[in-house]
Amino acid sequence: MGMVPSSSSPLILSPHSMFQTLYSYFWWERLWLPANLTWADLEDRDGRVYAKASDLYITIPLAFLFLIVRHLFETYVATPLAGLLNVKEKIRLKATPNAVLEKFYAATTKHPKQADVEMLSKKSGCTVRQVERWFRRRRNQDRPSLLKKFREASWRFTFYLIAFIAGMAVIVDKPWFYDLREVWKGYPIQSMLPSQYWYYMIELSFYWSLLFSIASDVKRKDFKEQIIHHVATIILISFSWFANYIRAGTLIMALHDSSDYLLEWFIHWIFTLPSSATTSSTS
């Protein structure tokens, strides 16, 4: 029999024991699997292959591979395409170098209040109107170029379109594509196909790459929401893999890809390209 700690001495768990306890709770079979089933039932045997958590390790190096492919695509495909489509950047007047205003811009705020403008006017020797114009032009300098937006949109459009086509090729000949009852037939004892494996790995790797590059991408007003979206997507794809929701997962990913490439087209291509045909000055 093991020793039972006395009431006078507190039970102290080592970090390893705490990790093991959390690990056991996380993979608690009643949380993940139907009744009367254990993880042992989802071990590969008799030609059946099941999803494993360790499979997802490959998505991290694949994400970095995606970043390399994206760089090559934007350089050698998207940039020449922008030239063919006459995507031109608007002429932006640069702010005159001013150490006082530049220091305030970098250290305090890019949008000074009226009191700040008046204070900076006295310090810099410029008029209030000149200070306001300087900040407006300085903010315009930091705005991402139209070419950068076009390249990013082109990359996402291309991936979503290819992913949608590949996803349809993976599921269009499966019975659960036409009959949703087949999605849950025999669940979770459903063998995984190689095409399903790669569809999952590529989708998850792509969203990891979006999360890794979000700091250097065009920063939008919904920057925080973008991060939450990418993290939520990674968690949902990963958890559906852990619980062997492969059939439902492939259907949902294909459904999302079918709308994502259209959104990239309408939002970025249709609304960006017409405005790029004219060159205008920004004061």
Side-chain angles (χ1 to χ4, degrees):
M1 294 180 62
M3 295 181 62
V4 179
S6 63
S7 57
S8 60
S9 59
L11 179 62
I12 301 176
L13 296 177
S14 66
H16 178 72
S17 300
M18 292 178 64
F19 176 79
Q20 288 295 332
T21 301
L22 293 173
Y23 183 87
S24 300
Y25 276 118
F26 182 83
W27 294 111
W28 185 36
E29 291 160 341
R30 295 287 66 79
L31 179 65
W32 293 92
L33 303 175
N36 303 321
L37 284 177
T38 66
W39 290 114
D41 296 313
L42 296 181
E43 293 180 358
D44 298 349
R45 64 169 67 89
D46 301 328
R48 288 180 172 269
V49 179
Y50 298 99
K52 307 173 188 64
S54 59
D55 293 334
L56 301 187
Y57 290 142
I58 195 177
T59 60
I60 301 301
L62 281 178
F64 287 103
L65 179 60
F66 261 118
L67 294 177
I68 296 174
V69 173
R70 172 182 172 175
H71 174 73
L72 296 175
F73 175 87
E74 291 183 352
T75 302
Y76 298 106
V77 178
T79 301
L81 181 61
L84 291 174
L85 295 176
N86 198 30
V87 177
K88 295 180 179 179
E89 184 57 53
K90 295 179 180 180
I91 298 176
R92 298 177 182 178
L93 299 178
K94 294 184 178 181
T96 305
N98 188 302
V100 174
L101 301 181
E102 185 67 38
K103 181 179 180 180
F104 187 91
Y105 180 88
T108 307
T109 180
K110 299 177 181 180
H111 299 272
K113 298 180 180 179
Q114 188 60 35
D116 296 325
V117 172
E118 294 175 358
M119 178 269 294
L120 290 170
S121 174
K122 297 176 181 178
K123 285 188 175 181
S124 62
C126 302
T127 65
V128 170
R129 186 180 180 84
Q130 288 174 331
V131 172
E132 292 173 341
R133 185 186 299 117
W134 187 94
F135 273 90
R136 188 163 56 250
R137 291 180 176 178
R138 186 64 181 83
R139 287 193 297 268
N140 284 335
Q141 285 181 222
D142 285 350
R143 289 172 54 194
S145 68
L146 192 61
L147 177 60
K148 181 176 176 64
K149 293 180 180 178
F150 178 85
R151 286 164 46 152
E152 289 185 11
S154 299
W155 165 247
R156 290 192 297 268
F157 168 83
T158 302
F159 173 83
Y160 289 135
L161 179 59
I162 294 176
F164 171 64
I165 296 172
M168 293 302 296
V170 167
I171 62 178
V172 73
D173 61 338
K174 306 299 186 296
W176 52 87
F177 181 71
Y178 305 95
D179 185 358
L180 292 181
R181 289 173 295 185
E182 292 288 332
V183 171
W184 309 110
K185 186 176 181 180
Y187 175 83
I189 310 300
Q190 298 172 339
S191 184
M192 177 182 60
L193 302 174
S195 58
Q196 294 173 321
Y197 169 85
W198 284 110
Y199 188 28
Y200 254 82
M201 296 303 107
I202 290 173
E203 285 278 347
L204 186 55
S205 300
F206 177 74
Y207 281 102
W208 273 120
S209 72
L210 289 183
L211 187 63
F212 294 157
S213 65
I214 196 169
S216 60
D217 288 344
V218 173
K219 193 170 183 178
R220 304 175 184 174
K221 294 180 180 179
D222 61 346
F223 177 76
K224 294 181 181 178
E225 289 79 2
Q226 275 189 304
I227 296 178
I228 294 173
H229 171 269
H230 295 338
V231 172
T233 302
I234 290 170
I235 291 174
L236 287 172
I237 294 177
S238 300
F239 273 55
S240 70
W241 181 263
F242 296 160
N244 206 34
Y245 293 139
I246 306 300
R247 295 180 181 180
T250 51
L251 289 174
I252 294 171
M253 288 190 297
L255 179 63
H256 277 271
D257 289 336
S258 69
S259 60
D260 284 339
Y261 81 88
L262 292 175
L263 286 174
E264 290 296 333
W265 173 271
F266 285 114
I267 294 175
H268 295 287
W269 288 52
I270 290 182
F271 291 106
T272 299
L273 290 179
S275 64
S276 67
T278 58
T279 304
S280 60
S281 61
T282 304
S283 62

